[in-house]
């Protein structure tokens, strides 16, 4: 993980495709970290939604998803993982 976040690998053209490893600066390493976190977050949330739908019975043509939280019943075009976790 450290190698993936702190450096990048490039293939040099004209040198037989030799791999060149270059260090990332702090800003680029932070961007890589953030991209990984977003991907993991999206994957986990998608899995939670799939498992929830499987357990309660998913309706193919459902028109909305409502979330009941401490502020009342709300409708969202897109729900986030935080909105789901607040209720559990």
């Amino acid at each position: 993980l450290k190698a993936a976040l702190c450096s990048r690998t490039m293939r040099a053209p004209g040198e037989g495709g030799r791999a060149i490893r270059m260090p990332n600066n702090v800003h680029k390493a932070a961007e890589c970290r953030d991209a990984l976190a977003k991907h993991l977050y999206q994957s986990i949330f998608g899995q939670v939604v799939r498992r929830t739908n499987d357990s309660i019975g998913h309706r193919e043509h459902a028109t909305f998803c409502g979330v009941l939280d401490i502020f009342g019943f709300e409708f969202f075009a897109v729900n986030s993982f935080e909105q789901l976790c607040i209720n559990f």
Side-chain angles (χ1 to χ4, degrees):
L1 182 59
K2 179 182 176 182
L5 295 177
C6 295
S7 63
R8 63 189 183 276
T9 303
M10 299 173 61
R11 298 270 177 208
E15 294 185 30
R18 186 175 69 108
I20 300 172
R21 192 170 210 73
M22 301 176 63
N24 285 332
N25 61 29
V26 173
H27 179 72
K28 184 66 176 171
E31 286 179 349
C32 292
R33 177 205 59 209
D34 294 347
L36 176 62
K38 288 176 184 177
H39 177 74
L40 290 172
Y41 176 91
Q42 179 183 10
S43 297
I44 291 170
F45 184 68
Q47 182 65 18
V48 168
V49 169
R50 280 189 292 282
R51 291 190 59 140
T52 301
N53 286 339
D54 290 345
S55 71
I56 63 174
H58 175 70
R59 291 187 288 178
E60 188 66 33
H61 300 290
T63 58
F64 72 93
C65 177
V67 176
L68 179 62
D69 62 12
I70 60 173
F71 297 109
F73 197 74
E74 302 176 50
F75 294 96
F76 298 101
V78 176
N79 287 307
S80 70
F81 186 62
E82 290 94 350
Q83 291 164 339
L84 179 64
C85 289
I86 287 170
N87 297 298
F88 293 99

